[in-house]
């Protein structure tokens, strides 16, 4: 008689009650595969958005938002290398499949001193290490994609590897719905490989490489494509029992392109960003109660905001190239974690970062006392290659304190200050292919943010339940906002379209988790607000009369209920319910006549709001594995996404029909989406 697998969970060492960390979320990639899935694809970002403080702009939106921050304020690392684009298929899938992932950790604002460059969060993704003793394989298939992964020893107990590829074929679905999608087409693939060499017992070196590619065609008029490439070389050395060294070298690149297919106007628009980074980290365990971490890193940025070239022999489009940008960032950091007693632990961190915007570059000077515009340019200054144009920098202190109230209760405090020297320029709420990256320069200062957090954590009933309650307040300086009617794409005077703004956000996050038993799950609720205010001396540039107004990411109420019921013989029933307040929107507030034409007026930004978003997903999963050593087993997932067919509004837009103003609601997913996926491990 073969018995069902027995799962033993241990929380004492890793529970939020025992550790210093707060504002932190960890995701188990294997458990994601058993939750209700969209199109049969396990998705890391969708799992994160079920956690407190994490949202998205809507269904099928790229990127994610943490505690009201913008999507470009999140630092996403894959084995230490930054990933600039996290989505496939315009936001429906995460760029990296959980099959390749060993660990996912999200730091919501309070990140360790060795990390910087973003002011909202750090998402640290670690790729699986290869099995050093035997080969392992996994193959899976779903409605829109198929994947294959393997790992094992190249040289037993010495050199291991892990790697695989995923290929999608959503055209099958698009072809079945020609009345809804016309001649639209979509395709993507991604591949990842990691190799690790154990030089000896104390020294290891690993190399990680990743590539993804997407192509999407909207009907027959426009085609989009984008790709990500990265490589990370990591070396670790245990110099002695107390001293260790880590060295990393990484390269990352993101390229996006738009093809205009309209006859007579054929053209291609291309933008890109690249980053080269070197980093060294030294850890010294002074004694059992004191650990010091120190290090440095250096980054080289390269940005191409946009190059337009005609592609047809009879194209009427003229070529246009926006000047490329270069930047240099250097940082040094030091942190000390001190355990005073079993109940009190303090971590002090300090990071100093300096940034230099360099040539070659033409920099425009504008007439003082007037708004920046093309007409107010007074001079053009040419800076030669590597010539310093503008410098920013400063200290970034971080503090975290844990006070144990009892064996099962803890109170924590933290403060984090950070800087960000690049931003994504976008006139859409979510990340899209027409967005481009922009470095801080003479007119666009570095963003800086401060976050204060407090939290209460408690475990009860022998760690069966985990309760957490966190509150935060954050402020941001030098945010980028946009003038009304601003032209962003291919604008050689981009600073004339941008405004300096500041932001503030606050909220409370509640989470109750049941870890053991046949019925497990969690209830996560967040109440948060995020607001923006434009800072300008010119009345014509003021937004909402200079008052605070809701940011694009302001969604006050967020509720996620996640449940899992273990059935018999490896089966489980999984159910998720999500409720989120609607995003802010700008609706017409009047009309006026211009040249005998009736024009709709929009004067108050983000003072309206879309309807609330809610959705129910349910599904069954079956795992044939009965014991840890079992090599051949299957995972089957049957899911029903949007079970009660809620037509959630992604956006509301308006169109005038003669003298009547009509409103339209766009729902990306308006019905139930069933899916079946199968993964076989051998």
């Amino acid at each position: 008689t073969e018995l069902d697998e027995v799962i033993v969970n241990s929380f004492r060492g890793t529970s939020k009650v025992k550790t210093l960390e707060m504002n932190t979320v960890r995701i188990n990639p294997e458990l994601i595969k058993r939750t209700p899935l969209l199109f049969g694809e396990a998705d890391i970002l969708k799992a994160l958005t079920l956690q407190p403080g994490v949202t998205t702009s809507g269904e099928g939106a790229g990127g994610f938002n943490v505690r009201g921050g913008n999507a470009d304020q999140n630092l996403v690392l894959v084995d230490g290398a930054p990933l600039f684009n996290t989505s496939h298929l315009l936001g429906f899938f995460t760029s990296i499949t959980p099959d390749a992932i060993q660990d996912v950790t999200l730091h919501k604002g309070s990140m360790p001193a060795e990390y910087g460059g973003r002011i909202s969060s750090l998402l640290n993704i670690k790729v699986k290490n290869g099995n050093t003793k035997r080969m392992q394989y996994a193959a899976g298939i779903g409605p829109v994609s198929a994947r294959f992964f393997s790992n094992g020893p190249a040289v037993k107990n010495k050199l291991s590897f892990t790697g695989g590829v995923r290929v999608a074929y959503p055209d099958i679905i698009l072809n079945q719905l020609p009345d809804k999608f016309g001649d639209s087409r979509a395709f993507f693939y991604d591949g990842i490989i990691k190799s690790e060499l154990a030089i000896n017992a104390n020294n290891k070196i690993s190399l990680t490489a990743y590539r993804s590619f997407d192509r999407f065609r909207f009907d027959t008029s426009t085609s989009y494509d984008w790709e990500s490439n990265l490589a990370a070389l990591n070396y670790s050395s245990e110099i002695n029992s107390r001293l260790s060294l880590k060295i990393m070298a990484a390269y990352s690149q993101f390229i996006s392109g738009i093809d205009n297919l309209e006859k007579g106007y054929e053209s291609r628009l291309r933008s890109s960003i690249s980053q080269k980074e070197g980093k060294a980290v030294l850890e010294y365990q002074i004694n059992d109660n004191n650990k010091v971490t120190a290090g440095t890193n250096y980054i080289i940025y390269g940005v191409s905001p946009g190059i337009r070239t005609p592609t047809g022999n009879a194209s009427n489009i003229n070529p246009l190239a926006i000047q490329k940008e270069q930047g240099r960032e250097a940082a040094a950091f030091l942190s000390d974690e001190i355990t005073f007693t079993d109940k009190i632990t303090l971590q002090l961190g300090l990071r100093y970062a300096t940034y230099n915007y360099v040539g070659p570059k033409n920099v425009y000077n504008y007439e003082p006392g007037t708004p920046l515009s093309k007409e107010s340019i007074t001079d053009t200054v040419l800076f030669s290659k590597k010539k310093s144009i503008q410098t920013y920098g400063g200290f970034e202190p971080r503090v975290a304190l844990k006070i144990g109230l009892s064996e099962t209760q803890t109170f924590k405090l933290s403060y984090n200050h950070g800087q960000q020297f690049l931003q994504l320029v976008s006139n859409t709420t979510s990340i899209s292919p027409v967005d481009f990256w922009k470095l801080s320069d003479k007119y666009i200062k570095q963003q800086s943010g401060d976050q204060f957090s407090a939290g209460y954590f408690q475990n009860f009933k022998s760690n069966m339940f985990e309760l957490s309650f966190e509150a935060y307040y954050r402020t941001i300086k030098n945010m980028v906002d946009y003038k009304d009617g601003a032209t962003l794409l291919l604008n050689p005077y981009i600073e004339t379209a941008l405004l300096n703004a500041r932001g503030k956000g606050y909220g409370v996050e509640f989470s109750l988790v049941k870890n053991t038993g046949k019925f497990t799950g969690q209830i996560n609720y967040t109440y948060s607000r995020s607001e923006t205010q434009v800072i300008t001396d010119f009345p014509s540039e003021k937004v909402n009369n200079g008052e605070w107004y809701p940011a694009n990411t302001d969604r006050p109420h967020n509720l996620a209920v996640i449940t899992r019921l273990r059935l018999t013989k490896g089966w489980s029933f999984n159910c998720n319910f999500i409720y989120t307040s609607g995003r802010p929107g700008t609706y017409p507030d009047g009309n006026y006549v211009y040249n005998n034409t009736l024009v709709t007026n929009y004067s108050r930004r983000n003072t309206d709001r879309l309807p609330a978003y809610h959705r129910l997903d349910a599904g069954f999963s079956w795992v044939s594995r009965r014991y840890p050593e079992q090599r051949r087993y299957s995972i089957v997932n049957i899911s029903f996404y949007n079970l009660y067919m809620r037509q959630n509004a992604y956006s509301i837009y308006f169109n005038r029909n003669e003298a009547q103003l009509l409103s339209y609601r766009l729902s990306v997913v308006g019905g139930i989406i069933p899916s079946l996926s199968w993964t076989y491990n051998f």
Side-chain angles (χ1 to χ4, degrees):
T1 301
E2 187 177 273
L3 301 177
D4 286 343
E5 176 184 2
V6 176
I7 300 176
V8 179
N9 293 300
S10 175
F11 299 98
R12 185 172 182 85
T14 59
S15 165
K16 291 182 179 180
V17 171
K18 296 297 180 181
T19 61
L20 178 65
E21 293 179 336
M22 67 178 299
N23 312 315
T24 302
V25 174
R26 283 189 168 85
I27 299 293
N28 185 337
E30 291 302 316
L31 291 182
I32 299 176
K33 302 174 185 178
R34 308 181 189 186
T35 61
L37 307 177
L38 174 61
F39 296 125
E41 273 291 330
D43 195 285
I44 294 171
L45 291 190
K46 284 184 176 60
L48 283 175
T49 57
L50 299 176
Q51 302 301 314
V54 187
T55 62
T56 65
S57 298
E59 210 112 44
F64 60 101
N65 310 107
V66 176
R67 291 183 169 176
N70 295 327
D72 64 335
Q73 295 172 346
N74 305 313
L75 177 62
V76 181
L77 299 179
V78 179
D79 279 357
L83 182 64
F84 290 103
N85 181 68
T86 58
S87 300
H88 282 305
L89 204 61
L90 298 177
F92 275 104
F93 304 113
T94 303
S95 294
I96 301 181
T97 175
D99 290 311
I101 304 305
Q102 177 176 310
D103 178 69
V104 179
T105 304
L106 175 69
H107 299 270
K108 297 181 288 187
S110 299
M111 61 183 74
E114 69 173 273
Y115 300 103
R118 301 293 190 279
I119 58 175
S120 275
S121 76
L122 163 68
L123 179 59
N124 209 343
I125 300 174
K126 294 184 178 179
V127 180
K128 286 180 179 178
N129 294 321
N131 191 314
T132 59
K133 298 185 181 300
R134 60 178 176 82
M135 291 297 302
Q136 294 176 315
Y137 304 94
I141 188 170
V144 298
S145 66
R147 59 198 183 278
F148 177 81
F149 282 83
S150 65
N151 73 84
V155 178
K156 198 169 184 178
N157 296 323
K158 188 75 172 177
L159 177 63
S160 64
F161 76 93
T162 183
V165 64
R166 175 175 54 166
V167 179
Y169 34 82
D171 282 351
I172 295 177
I173 295 178
L174 297 178
N175 289 333
Q176 301 303 313
L177 302 169
D179 55 326
K180 294 183 179 294
F181 297 100
D183 291 325
S184 298
R185 293 292 179 266
F187 168 78
F188 72 80
Y189 72 83
D190 59 64
I192 192 166
I193 186 169
K194 180 178 181 178
S195 180
E196 184 177 66
L197 172 65
I199 301 173
N200 52 44
N202 297 322
N203 294 271
K204 293 182 179 180
I205 187 169
S206 67
L207 176 64
T208 305
Y210 167 82
R211 172 174 168 78
S212 70
F213 178 82
D214 283 71
R215 178 180 289 119
F216 177 80
R217 190 182 75 195
F218 183 72
D219 208 352
T220 58
S221 59
T222 309
S223 175
Y224 305 92
D225 62 81
W226 58 97
E227 63 181 82
S228 296
N229 304 286
L230 66 82
L233 181 66
N234 285 276
Y235 168 76
S236 62
S237 174
E238 299 292 332
I239 300 174
N240 56 46
S241 60
R242 294 187 178 273
L243 185 64
S244 64
L245 172 67
K246 293 186 294 183
I247 298 175
M248 184 208 68
Y251 174 78
S252 297
Q253 180 190 54
F254 174 70
I255 304 172
S256 66
I258 305 174
D259 289 293
N260 186 355
L261 307 177
E262 186 178 356
K263 188 174 182 180
Y265 299 93
E266 297 91 344
S267 63
R268 177 168 176 78
L269 173 64
R270 183 181 183 274
S271 64
S272 65
I273 182 172
S274 66
Q275 176 176 322
K276 303 172 185 176
E277 180 177 4
K279 183 176 182 180
V281 181
L282 198 64
E283 290 186 0
Y284 181 55
Q285 190 79 40
I286 298 176
N287 52 51
D288 293 341
N289 298 320
N290 195 343
K291 182 177 74 172
V292 175
T293 303
T296 183
N297 74 311
Y298 185 75
I299 299 174
I300 300 175
Y301 297 107
V303 175
S304 175
I307 300 175
R308 184 183 65 193
T309 55
T311 55
N313 295 329
S315 176
N316 296 311
I317 297 296
N318 295 321
L320 177 63
I322 305 300
Q323 294 182 84
K324 295 182 179 181
E325 298 184 310
Q326 295 81 32
R328 307 288 186 265
E329 179 184 343
F333 49 87
L334 175 68
S335 68
D336 189 3
E337 183 175 324
I338 308 170
T339 302
F340 294 102
T341 69
D342 291 341
K343 297 183 179 298
I344 300 177
T345 303
L346 174 68
Q347 185 181 69
L348 300 173
L350 185 63
R351 179 184 181 89
Y352 181 82
T354 179
Y355 164 83
N356 194 11
Y357 186 69
V358 298
K361 180 76 173 179
N362 287 328
V363 177
Y364 303 105
N365 293 329
Y366 296 87
E367 183 178 349
T370 62
L372 300 185
S373 66
K374 180 180 178 181
E375 292 72 25
S376 64
I377 295 176
T378 60
D379 191 17
T380 303
V381 180
L382 173 60
F383 288 84
S384 58
K385 187 175 181 179
K386 297 184 179 181
K387 182 71 173 179
S388 177
I389 301 173
Q390 186 69 43
T391 301
Y392 297 108
F395 288 98
E396 303 175 14
R398 291 103 188 264
V399 181
L401 174 66
K402 184 198 78 172
I403 303 174
L405 305 178
S406 69
E407 283 297 314
T408 59
Q409 301 177 73
T410 298
F411 179 71
K412 301 179 185 181
L413 294 168
S414 71
Y415 166 73
N416 188 95
H417 175 76
Q419 299 177 96
Q420 181 169 331
F421 303 106
L422 75 166
Q423 43 271 315
L424 194 65
V425 177
S426 171
N427 59 0
T428 58
T429 302
S430 65
I431 294 177
S432 72
V434 299
D435 302 336
F436 59 93
W437 290 89
K438 177 76 179 72
L439 294 174
S440 294
D441 58 17
K442 179 180 178 180
Y443 299 101
I444 302 173
K445 298 180 180 180
Q446 89 277 33
Q447 298 184 63
S448 63
D450 295 89
Q451 178 171 281
F452 303 85
S453 304
Y456 171 78
F457 305 86
Q458 181 180 2
N459 290 358
F460 47 96
K461 284 200 172 182
S462 301
N463 294 322
M464 177 181 287
F465 293 94
E466 290 186 47
L467 173 69
S468 66
F469 181 88
E470 297 185 35
Y472 69 90
Y473 179 80
R474 65 194 302 255
T475 59
I476 304 173
K477 296 180 180 179
N478 302 324
M479 291 175 58
V480 170
D481 212 322
Y482 310 100
K483 296 181 181 180
D484 291 331
T487 299
L488 303 179
L489 200 61
L490 293 175
N491 186 350
Y493 320 101
I494 188 63
E495 60 270 11
T496 65
L498 306 180
L499 295 172
N500 181 272
R502 60 182 176 182
K504 65 179 179 181
Y506 55 89
V508 291
E509 300 170 356
F510 168 84
S511 179
L512 177 63
V513 182
K514 185 176 185 293
N515 293 301
T516 58
K518 284 192 174 182
F519 181 77
T520 57
Q522 54 184 300
I523 300 174
N524 300 321
Y525 171 74
T526 303
Y527 175 79
S528 63
R529 300 306 306 267
S530 180
E531 298 179 314
T532 302
Q533 183 186 41
V534 169
I535 308 299
T536 179
D537 296 328
F538 308 109
S540 62
E541 294 183 338
K542 289 186 177 180
V543 176
N544 292 10
N545 296 321
E547 301 171 357
W548 288 93
Y549 60 92
N552 291 332
T553 56
D554 181 60
R555 310 188 78 167
H557 298 282
N558 294 271
L559 172 68
V561 181
I562 308 162
T563 60
R564 180 171 182 251
L565 177 62
R566 281 199 299 119
L567 305 174
T568 60
K569 299 185 181 301
W571 283 94
S572 65
F573 174 72
N574 308 277
C575 187
N576 298 338
F577 174 75
I578 301 99
Y579 175 91
T580 305
S581 298
R583 285 190 290 103
T586 304
Y587 298 165
D589 55 9
N591 303 305
Y592 62 90
V593 177
Y594 181 76
N595 287 341
N596 296 321
T597 302
L598 189 63
V599 181
T600 304
N601 184 63
Y602 299 82
S603 61
R604 302 285 296 176
R605 187 181 297 184
N606 284 0
T607 54
D608 301 288
R609 196 171 287 274
L610 272 67
Y613 177 100
H614 50 89
R615 191 186 79 238
L616 177 66
D617 307 329
F620 294 89
S621 67
W622 176 64
V623 182
S624 65
R625 194 177 195 180
R626 292 293 176 268
Y627 50 91
E629 292 78 17
Q630 183 177 340
R631 296 181 60 179
R632 295 180 174 85
Y633 64 95
S634 295
I635 300 176
V636 176
N637 188 289
I638 306 169
S639 297
F640 301 92
Y641 186 87
N642 196 20
L643 194 61
Y644 55 80
M645 296 184 289
R646 164 75 172 177
Q647 292 185 338
N648 290 293
Y650 181 82
S651 65
I652 293 179
Y653 60 98
F654 300 85
N655 192 18
R656 180 169 296 282
N657 182 10
E658 296 179 354
Q660 186 179 12
L661 186 66
L662 303 176
S663 63
Y664 301 86
R665 181 173 67 178
L666 170 65
S667 296
V668 178
V669 176
I672 184 173
I673 300 180
S675 64
L676 171 65
S677 65
W678 174 49
T679 302
Y680 183 60
N681 297 269
F682 57 100

